[in-house]
Each structure stands twice: as C-alpha cells, then as structure tokens.
Amino acid sequence: MAMEIIPTGAVLGAEIRGVDLASPMDDTTFAAIDDAYNQHGVIFFRDQQITPPQQVAFTRRFGEIEYNIFSERWSVTGSPEIVVVSNITENGAPIGIKRAGENWHSDMCYTARPPRGTMLYALEVPDLSGLSLGDTEFASAAAAWDALPESLRSHIENRTAVFDFKGRKRAFPPKQSEIDRNPPVRHPIVRTHPHTGRKCLYVMRDDCTSIEGLEPAEADILIAALSDHIVKPAFIYRHQWRVGDVLMWDNCMVQHRAIQDYDMPLRRLMHRTTMGGSVPI
Ligand code: SIN
C-alpha cells in the first residue's frame, strides 16, 4: 500500500497511512515521513503493533535517544530508552509516571539542548462505554507566531528568557540532585525551526521565569500573554487516542498537554521515547 499523508484539518498534525512500523523501512519512505514531521509538527500512525526495540530503533532514526528524569524511575524492563506513562498501579506500586504533562509545555525546555521531539505508543486507552478519554492537545507555536501583530513581533524577536527546571509544578517533586543537574538556562523566545526555518514562539508559563532586559512585572505580563496566545483554539489539534497509535510531536513547533479526564479503573498506558535536538536559535 502506498504511503499517504492526510492533514488533520487543524493548523498542525497529519495522519500517515500505508506504513507498518514493525517492518523494515527504506530511506525514501523515512525521508518522506521526516519531512511530514517537520511540516506538520505532529504525525501519527494508526493500528501499529511494535515491540520496544522497534520503537527505540524508529525513534533513533530522528535523533539520538534522550533520557529525562522519568527514565530513571519508570522505564520498560530491558529498554531503558522507553518511559512508561500510565495511571496503572500494580501490587500497590505505580507502573509508570502518572499525570505527566497536565499543563501546556514543550518537553525539557529547561535543558540547554531541548529534545527534537517525543513519541508515544498507545497500548491502553481509557474507554468510558465507547467514549475514548485521556486525549492529548497540541498547539502550533508557529501558527501562533504567524498571527502576532508586527509591533509585538519586533518587540520580542531577539529576546531571551530564563527557563528554570524549578519553575513548573511536576507530577512528583524532583530530587535535589535533579535540581542541581538542571540549573537555569537561557533560550530565545522566538525560535527558528532547525529544519523548516519557520519562526516559533517558545514561551511557557512557569518554565519561563524572566525575560532578559525587561522588568519582572513587564516580563510576567508578556510570558502570560504569549503563553495564552499559543494555546488559543485556532492553533490546536486535539488527538483522540486509539490503541495502536504511534504519534510524535515536534518540541520546537508544538506545545502539548495531556487531558486528565479519567482515573482507575479506566487504564491508560503509553510507551514514550524522546529524540535529541539542537541548541535553540
Ligand atoms: C507528556 O507530556 O509527555 C504526556 C502526554 C500524554 O500522556 O498525553
């Protein structure tokens, strides 16, 4: 079956059909997928059945595997590259990170070299009598930049913000050693996408703690206004998961959040991999 790329109809996101991620993939097919990923910011493949090594190998084609603080706590046995994201508890212990990513964010923006992107493979999706719960929302920070008035663009274009690991409330309190390993970093608040050259807003509440050259009160207003602007309904694609989905998002062009509208006994289980990126410019 020939590969097809079907845009979601929102300003970002596309489904890719005609690809079996459990089979070997030639370089031409991979290049077309890589291009779709860069153009659409979110791509997904339905009805996949992949093993942990296959997920790791596919992720590696986009960039070296990145490890984060969740990997140390909840990885798949035999595949330390895969983080388990889940609300399931077995024998009194959580099998994965629960309530990950409830607030809008871009993964690991608090690092000097944030990841290129993140992949989730859906193994269990909460289902309420046929209604799928636990969606993930994605917002295009590129479309949000395009929609800004010129006067605001020129006010913010060459500015830098401080991104602080301690800023965001997490699903669990980080250890002091993790805080020490992640000192505050500086990134441009308008990034240039490394593959497409598109400008993308790179501002999030809580993670961005100040903007260089601005008084704290002015910076706070700007951080709040830009963070809200990025997640306006016009810039959003909401993914309703099905078991077997493999979905990946681009951490420069896209912010995301997980919708926490379910709990046990409704189970959600995802395998997550993260691919290395470049220093934001
Ligand atoms: C995340 O932010 O990595 C979690 C997203 C999700 O589980 O939907």
Side-chain angles (χ1 to χ4, degrees):
M1 195 167 131
M3 187 177 108
E4 275 185 283
I5 299 168
I6 299 152
T8 59
V11 290
L12 75 165
E15 178 180 353
I16 301 194
R17 292 198 190 148
V19 173
D20 175 6
L21 297 178
S23 300
M25 183 184 293
D26 60 55
D27 288 343
T28 310
T29 305
F30 176 73
I33 291 172
D34 196 37
D35 186 54
Y37 182 38
N38 288 325
Q39 299 301 328
H40 295 282
V42 172
I43 54 171
F44 57 92
F45 309 80
R46 301 279 195 193
D47 303 317
Q48 301 295 318
Q49 264 193 301
I50 52 172
T51 62
Q54 285 168 337
Q55 180 172 352
V56 171
F58 184 52
T59 307
R60 280 217 163 98
R61 290 187 80 163
F62 297 91
E64 255 322 301
I65 296 283
E66 188 77 58
Y67 294 84
N68 70 8
I69 55 171
F70 302 143
S71 336
E72 290 163 23
R73 293 172 166 85
W74 291 291
S75 57
V76 170
T77 309
S79 294
E81 304 90 345
I82 301 183
V83 174
V84 179
V85 176
S86 184
N87 66 327
I88 302 168
T89 297
E90 277 172 6
N91 304 320
I95 66 161
I97 167 76
K98 191 180 168 185
R99 305 188 78 94
E102 265 187 278
N103 299 317
W104 286 107
H105 65 286
S106 173
D107 290 331
M108 296 169 72
C109 59
Y110 52 81
T111 58
R113 212 182 165 86
R116 174 180 179 188
T118 308
M119 184 184 297
L120 284 183
Y121 173 37
L123 293 149
E124 294 189 56
V125 175
D127 177 282
L128 184 71
S129 304
L131 176 67
S132 164
L133 301 177
D135 296 355
T136 308
E137 284 191 306
F138 300 94
S140 171
W145 164 261
D146 292 345
L148 281 184
E150 189 50 49
S151 48
L152 185 52
R153 284 189 193 183
S154 48
H155 181 53
I156 64 174
E157 186 153 9
N158 292 309
R159 294 198 183 269
T160 304
V162 173
F163 289 70
D164 193 337
F165 176 72
K166 299 191 298 303
R168 196 193 320 165
K169 185 170 172 292
R170 288 166 204 286
F172 59 89
K175 299 178 199 154
Q176 188 56 45
S177 58
E178 290 163 339
I179 294 172
D180 294 342
R181 255 188 284 144
N182 290 288
V185 294
R186 286 165 175 72
H187 294 308
I189 60 174
V190 182
R191 284 182 66 175
T192 302
H193 193 279
H195 299 277
T196 63
R198 273 188 93 177
K199 294 260 167 69
C200 304
L201 281 173
Y202 200 60
V203 181
M204 312 90 198
R205 268 206 172 76
D206 304 328
D207 293 308
C208 291
T209 51
S210 60
I211 297 180
E212 289 183 333
L214 297 186
E215 291 300 322
E218 194 187 347
D220 287 352
I221 290 170
L222 200 51
I223 291 167
L226 293 173
S227 304
D228 287 352
H229 172 70
I230 293 165
V231 302
K232 283 178 181 157
F235 309 136
I236 288 179
Y237 164 66
R238 179 167 175 147
H239 188 73
Q240 195 169 46
W241 292 94
R242 291 190 213 154
V243 170
D245 284 356
V246 172
L247 178 149
M248 43 201 284
W249 62 85
D250 177 297
N251 278 309
C252 172
M253 182 179 157
V254 175
Q255 292 191 17
H256 63 283
R257 70 167 172 180
I259 304 294
Q260 298 288 339
D261 55 358
Y262 61 93
D263 212 337
M264 288 295 270
L266 303 183
R267 296 160 56 107
R268 189 174 190 267
L269 173 60
M270 304 271 168
H271 279 179
R272 174 170 127 165
T273 40
T274 305
M275 62 207 73
S278 48
V279 173
I281 49 169

